[in-house]
Amino acid sequence: MAFISSGYNPEKPMENRITDIGPQHFTEFLPPVIEKNFGKWVYHEILEPGVLMHAAESGDEVYTVRAGTARLMSVTMIREICDIADKYCGGYLRFTTRNNIEFMVETKDEALALKKFLNEQKFGQGSYKFPVGGTGAGVSNIVHTQGWVHCHTPATDASGTVKATMDAVFDQFTDMKLPAPVRIAMACCLNMCGAVHCSDIAILGVHRKPPMIDHKYLDNLCEIPLAVASCPTGAIRPSKVEIEGTQYKTVAIKEERCMFCGNCYTMCPSLPLSDSQGDGVAIMVGGKISNRITKPAFSKVVVPFLPNNTPRWPEMTDVIKRILTAYSEGANKYERLGDWANRIGWERFFEVCDLEFSEHLIDDFRDPAYYTWRQTTQFKW
Amino acid sequence: MAKHKTPLLDQLESGPWPSFVSDIKQEAEARAKNEKGLDYQIPVDCPEDLLGVLELSFTDGETHWKHGGIVGVFGYGGGVIGRYCDQPEMFPGVAHFHTVRVAQPAGKFYTTKFLRELCDLWDLRGSGLTNMHGSTGDIVLLGTQTPQLEEIFFELTHNMNNDLGGSGSNLRTPAACMGMSRCEYACYDSQELCYNLTMEYQDELHRPAFPYKFKFKFDACANGCVAALARSDMAFVGTWKGDIRIDQGAVAAYVGGEFAPNAGAHSGRDWGKFDIVKEVVELCPSKCISYEGGKLAINNKECVRCMHCINTMPRALRIGEETGTSILCGAKAPILDGPQMGSLLVPFVEVNKDDDYQAIKDIIEGVWDWWMEEGKNRERLGETMKRLGFAALAEAAGVPVDVRMVQEPRHNPYIFWKADEVEGGWDRDINEYRERHLR
């Protein structure tokens, strides 16, 4: 391959450099009906799964068809999306905050025709390219992270766990039969990029072994004080070791204080900890972000560990389906998963979901842990 | 013919959900065919090698990306996430596999013209793989080599009039819900405020000058569609003062079954006939709604604007007319000292485009001045707040202390006073004390 210059001159790197121009203004991209009725919408309806209608003061209506995506997508796929938007939507489209695509048209007939068309598009191996859904009281797309596709600190994969989960709960994406929306999120380590800490159900990559220490290289590659300061439990201290007669500045890790968060590895490449047997996923539930009825809430850990059983994580999808089924059967209309668990009590939640409760689920992190224990005689047998 | 065998990944091609494996494979095929006759600037088989290295990770249960990676473009301190494979000989196509974060338009509306130009650029100079979008909001161009970074940036800025997003210890790429463009709940123009602040603080976004990362997010109402109060250090959540607007005729239409509750969000299951008392009145967290004699009444003084009644009867109830935003600070993920949601700093501030949002910028800059001075290395705003106290944040922001800032008053009596708040100050003479109290 021959290098093709863009016009950038590496001899004069600062010449003709354009900086600080930011994104383009969003009004450059609004469909005409959106631009015309901006800020003047009066109500909306969900006509059927994946199809919304918004009505404006002017009497104008816009119909939105929402379709799932894998988030990780090729330019071939984006061009196919563009072809659809050119054919049906005047060359406009948008993406949602959960990485679905939305196509907007101006009549109901066009919307239903578009839904039908989208649901007919499949990959050669059979999966839908643009399954329509993700609206109302169902399961929408899974907010997720990089996993083994791009990141250096994951304890599991993102795209793989998400595909396995969405296949398992697919009928909830294309329907609206739950008590309230269920947000599922995924993060491949406990940096929790994304929404794991505030979702109805969350998949979290976790380690279970302390880091290995690459003593000979550590001082050359790491700022030791940063590695020491990176530890939430104070398990790391500066240290010296002698290997084959040579003294090295390094760190020592108190293994009984380490809870495998991996933050020291983030700061120091000489402290890797990934491990095929140690690593896996934890399941959290009961978080929410909206202020509707109840306040926003963090998700809580209900399964401390499940193995990375690639490629489909069957233990993980089994737990998620069990939780979803128990919630669907037990919760009241409008009740989010966490609100349901709070109402019936967590002892009942574990019973109806058939989950094992272990010591790993009792908070032991600093002062606030106390507030998660039960300071009352109110409990159910 | 695929370059690597991928028996595990192949199993993720079945099932109904869009398969990222099938999509990556179709990109690999498209590059192999190269119908446009492009002179690809990174290896043609980059997507093939990505599948290869991913299959290896699926086999041995561990990532195969080396730690870190520091690359970028001149003039900026962030925007590109460098990444190198730890098996470059087996998978030379992804020996370099850097991610470029591209600033996205607020609300993520696009024209196909823009996306096609971006695809043409990325096809030639990258892997042809993307994330639409990163969790913070950026368009993510997934996988290219170091020599292409300046070329991509040059084309992006010169030909597409678009910039990079943020990474590192700086202001990250702000994001907004779709706001007024297609939602009747929007209490302010979240997209415009997002755009304005993104442009105002371009320097803070591109050149890391902070103790750690800092994010803005903009939700136009309390439903939180961009999750501002969980996923941004400073969250702008729209709200109103005054009364919810009630259309009694439309209320009757809901009660009569003419309009579906919650716009039809529960239509996949038979929940029985809409019961306004059970589904709205009794679920109101403030119990400030009544329904008597066919008339819905709201005691707005007691309303906490949770959105439930409006969400449930969107054709009958509308947000109030005096609108603005609340500001909540400190949300973050667990590392280091536990997760936080945003804590309410400003109950209400006008979102006033006419004076270029000066009231909001004053608050932001007050908070930044304080945190940039006081924040420790890699300490998020939320952690600085915990260490130095919420009152210190309020003082820095120039916001008067308000009971709305707390869920409840403290229950321990370990109360600090400043010396000048106490009569007589703190300078005392033990001998004088002993004149009244013998040893």
Side-chain angles (χ1 to χ4, degrees):
Chain A
M1 67 198 171
F3 181 78
I4 301 173
S5 171
S6 60
Y8 166 70
N9 179 2
E11 302 298 322
K12 294 181 177 174
M14 303 315 278
E15 194 175 273
N16 287 326
R17 178 168 295 267
I18 298 173
T19 67
D20 299 275
I21 58 174
Q24 295 196 38
H25 196 266
F26 61 95
T27 51
E28 301 290 318
F29 300 119
L30 298 180
V33 62
I34 297 289
E35 192 171 24
K36 179 184 166 199
N37 298 289
F38 191 89
K40 298 194 171 108
W41 301 99
V42 287
Y43 70 91
H44 75 284
E45 286 175 23
I46 306 172
L47 303 180
E48 51 181 85
V51 184
L52 302 154
M53 185 277 286
H54 287 79
E57 280 170 12
S58 64
D60 286 351
E61 294 176 344
V62 62
Y63 293 79
T64 302
V65 184
R66 183 178 296 167
T69 80
R71 191 180 85 112
L72 198 185
M73 66 174 75
S74 67
V75 295
T76 299
M77 176 62 100
I78 296 174
R79 287 181 178 127
E80 194 168 336
I81 292 166
C82 289
D83 290 342
I84 295 167
D86 283 339
K87 187 174 168 193
Y88 288 90
C89 314
Y92 295 92
L93 68 139
R94 73 175 290 267
F95 289 83
T96 71
T97 57
R98 301 193 74 83
N99 308 311
N100 295 306
I101 321 169
E102 289 185 343
F103 297 101
M104 286 152 282
V105 294
E106 292 187 33
T107 68
K108 184 177 174 181
D109 288 347
E110 287 173 284
L112 296 183
L114 178 53
K115 176 175 175 175
K116 182 168 176 293
F117 175 80
L118 291 169
N119 278 336
E120 287 165 357
Q121 308 307 306
K122 291 187 171 186
F123 286 105
Q125 296 298 314
S127 68
Y128 289 96
K129 286 183 173 175
F130 312 105
V132 175
T135 54
V139 173
S140 189
N141 210 338
I142 299 180
V143 169
H144 65 276
T145 56
Q146 296 292 26
W148 295 328
V149 168
H150 196 260
C151 194
H152 59 149
T153 66
T156 189
D157 186 48
S159 304
T161 52
V162 164
K163 164 72 173 153
T165 304
M166 285 308 294
D167 280 344
V169 303
F170 186 72
D171 65 320
Q172 303 288 6
F173 181 82
T174 55
D175 208 339
M176 306 188 289
K177 56 190 176 185
L178 292 171
V182 170
R183 305 301 188 211
I184 308 181
M186 189 286 150
C188 46
C189 81
L190 67 182
N191 279 331
M192 291 194 189
C193 302
V196 155
H197 65 303
C198 52
S199 295
D200 296 277
I201 300 177
I203 304 162
L204 176 66
V206 292
H207 305 285
R208 293 184 303 163
K209 297 185 185 183
M212 294 162 280
I213 308 175
D214 211 351
H215 291 297
K216 283 189 182 174
Y217 297 85
L218 191 141
D219 190 34
N220 288 328
L221 292 172
C222 311
E223 290 218 33
I224 288 175
L226 291 187
V228 171
S230 73
C231 181
T233 57
I236 305 178
R237 63 182 192 280
S239 168
K240 285 182 180 155
V241 295
E242 190 180 310
I243 302 172
E244 293 155 2
T246 309
Q247 278 251 331
Y248 294 93
K249 277 199 230 171
T250 182
V251 298
I253 297 177
K254 271 200 175 151
E255 295 195 338
E256 68 277 17
R257 273 204 204 172
C258 173
M259 45 64 183
F260 332 110
C261 72
N263 197 39
C264 56
Y265 178 58
T266 299
M267 300 308 296
C268 171
S270 300
L271 298 169
L273 75 164
S274 66
D275 186 279
S276 60
Q277 294 165 312
D279 297 352
V281 299
I283 304 294
M284 304 175 75
V285 306
K288 72 188 270 273
I289 293 155
S290 104
N291 294 272
R292 186 176 187 171
I293 307 175
T294 56
K295 288 172 291 199
F298 292 118
S299 2
K300 293 94 176 147
V301 186
V302 294
V303 179
F305 182 79
L306 294 166
N308 274 332
N309 205 343
T310 60
R312 283 200 166 267
W313 285 265
E315 298 86 352
M316 176 193 78
T317 55
D318 173 58
V319 163
I320 290 170
K321 280 174 74 175
R322 239 187 295 155
I323 293 170
L324 209 48
T325 302
Y327 161 71
S328 181
E329 288 170 358
N332 295 328
K333 192 177 180 186
Y334 305 109
E335 203 167 41
R336 292 288 289 264
L337 200 150
D339 296 330
W340 164 67
N342 284 332
R343 175 171 60 80
I344 64 173
W346 287 91
E347 64 271 45
R348 192 64 76 234
F349 171 88
F350 276 81
E351 181 182 295
V352 296
C353 296
D354 191 21
L355 297 174
E356 184 193 350
F357 187 84
S358 71
E359 67 184 71
H360 305 103
L361 304 176
I362 303 175
D363 196 352
D364 53 10
F365 185 64
R366 300 187 186 169
D367 274 11
Y370 163 81
Y371 298 99
T372 66
W373 307 337
R374 193 173 298 222
Q375 290 92 22
T376 174
T377 57
Q378 295 181 16
F379 58 83
K380 296 177 183 175
W381 298 112
Chain B
M1 184 63 194
K3 185 175 171 189
H4 306 283
K5 283 207 162 63
T6 55
L8 293 172
L9 291 176
D10 292 350
Q11 295 177 53
L12 291 174
E13 291 198 85
S14 59
W17 188 250
S19 170
F20 69 97
V21 178
S22 297
D23 190 16
I24 297 174
K25 283 186 177 179
Q26 79 172 1
E27 190 59 31
E29 274 178 39
R31 286 172 75 94
K33 276 191 199 152
N34 190 12
E35 284 178 352
K36 289 184 191 164
L38 295 179
D39 198 350
Y40 289 115
Q41 297 292 290
I42 73 163
V44 179
D45 57 3
C46 176
E48 299 248 26
D49 276 351
L50 180 67
L51 286 173
V53 74
L54 189 59
E55 177 76 16
L56 183 63
S57 284
F58 268 60
T59 304
D60 62 19
E62 293 168 3
T63 188
H64 282 286
W65 301 104
K66 288 187 189 179
H67 183 279
I70 300 172
V71 292
V73 297
F74 283 117
Y76 288 178
V80 186
I81 315 303
R83 197 67 76 213
Y84 302 92
C85 184
D86 71 6
Q87 296 294 341
E89 288 180 6
M90 283 166 78
F91 308 106
V94 291
H96 297 223
F97 197 64
H98 310 322
T99 278
V100 182
R101 290 186 180 161
V102 175
Q104 85 289 0
K108 303 189 181 91
F109 285 86
Y110 292 104
T111 57
T112 54
K113 178 176 177 290
F114 177 87
L115 289 178
R116 287 184 197 281
E117 284 175 23
L118 190 67
C119 288
D120 289 345
L121 163 60
W122 190 236
D123 214 358
L124 179 69
R125 302 192 178 277
S127 66
L129 303 175
T130 76
N131 288 152
M132 299 295 279
H133 294 71
S135 292
T136 301
D138 306 89
I139 301 166
V140 170
L141 304 179
L142 191 65
T144 191
Q145 301 196 342
T146 309
Q148 288 302 312
L149 296 176
E150 289 288 2
E151 309 299 327
I152 291 163
F153 183 63
F154 191 95
E155 292 199 359
L156 199 61
T157 49
H158 286 78
N159 306 340
M160 295 192 64
N161 189 31
N162 211 97
D163 210 334
L164 298 184
S167 71
S169 290
N170 55 11
L171 175 65
R172 299 293 186 84
T173 310
C177 71
M178 60 161 30
M180 288 184 167
S181 56
R182 209 193 62 207
C183 183
E184 69 273 22
Y185 303 154
C187 298
Y188 74 96
D189 188 347
S190 55
Q191 293 163 281
E192 187 63 45
L193 182 60
C194 179
Y195 178 78
N196 184 290
L197 296 182
T198 305
M199 298 310 288
E200 176 81 23
Y201 300 118
Q202 279 288 292
D203 188 31
E204 286 77 4
L205 190 153
H206 292 301
R207 297 166 198 91
F210 290 167
Y212 202 7
K213 67 176 92 164
F214 193 98
K215 300 183 183 186
F216 288 146
K217 279 189 166 53
F218 305 87
D219 273 316
C221 84
N223 280 328
C225 291
V226 77
L229 71 73
R231 297 169 61 182
S232 60
D233 299 83
M234 205 175 232
F236 300 83
V237 183
T239 191
W240 66 90
K241 290 179 170 176
D243 294 354
I244 291 174
R245 289 172 278 174
I246 307 175
D247 176 345
Q248 297 291 353
V251 172
Y254 279 104
V255 173
E258 199 180 317
F259 296 157
N262 217 122
H266 297 78
S267 62
R269 179 151 142 193
D270 182 7
W271 291 92
K273 187 175 175 296
F274 177 62
D275 181 339
I276 193 169
V277 172
K278 196 173 142 202
E279 296 186 38
V280 178
V281 174
E282 288 177 358
L283 290 182
C284 169
S286 303
K287 302 290 179 280
C288 68
I289 307 181
S290 62
Y291 181 75
E292 278 161 23
K295 195 164 176 293
L296 189 81
I298 299 175
N299 179 1
N300 283 282
K301 188 162 189 298
E302 299 307 312
C303 170
V304 293
R305 301 168 316 286
C306 82
M307 296 298 294
H308 174 64
C309 60
I310 296 175
N311 286 340
T312 308
M313 300 195 293
R315 296 184 73 159
L317 300 177
R318 298 186 67 186
I319 59 169
E321 289 180 301
E322 187 189 346
T323 56
T325 186
S326 302
I327 302 177
L328 298 93
C329 286
K332 58 178 282 291
I335 302 283
L336 203 62
D337 65 0
Q340 292 187 45
M341 301 267 192
S343 298
L344 184 68
L345 174 67
V346 180
F348 187 89
V349 57
E350 266 195 343
V351 181
N352 188 353
K353 193 181 181 187
D354 293 339
D355 73 351
D356 202 31
Y357 311 113
Q358 201 51 53
I360 289 171
K361 289 175 183 172
D362 288 346
I363 293 163
I364 293 169
E365 289 166 24
V367 170
W368 278 353
D369 285 347
W370 174 71
W371 178 59
M372 289 172 76
E373 186 70 26
E374 301 287 344
K376 292 185 181 178
N377 182 34
R378 284 177 69 84
E379 184 178 66
R380 291 288 284 267
L381 175 65
E383 290 165 332
T384 310
M385 287 160 55
K386 277 169 87 171
R387 186 166 56 81
L388 299 179
F390 193 88
L393 172 76
E395 190 185 344
V399 178
V401 166
D402 186 319
V403 66
R404 292 167 191 83
M405 289 173 173
V406 295
Q407 196 57 48
E408 59 183 29
R410 68 193 305 156
H411 58 247
N412 67 65
Y414 304 157
I415 302 169
F416 290 97
W417 295 90
K418 295 188 185 88
D420 61 10
E421 289 177 309
V422 187
E423 287 135 33
W426 288 354
D427 283 334
R428 291 187 289 164
D429 181 356
I430 185 68
N431 295 318
E432 192 190 319
Y433 181 82
R434 286 298 167 215
E435 284 173 18
R436 301 191 302 278
H437 307 284
L438 297 179
R439 276 183 195 94

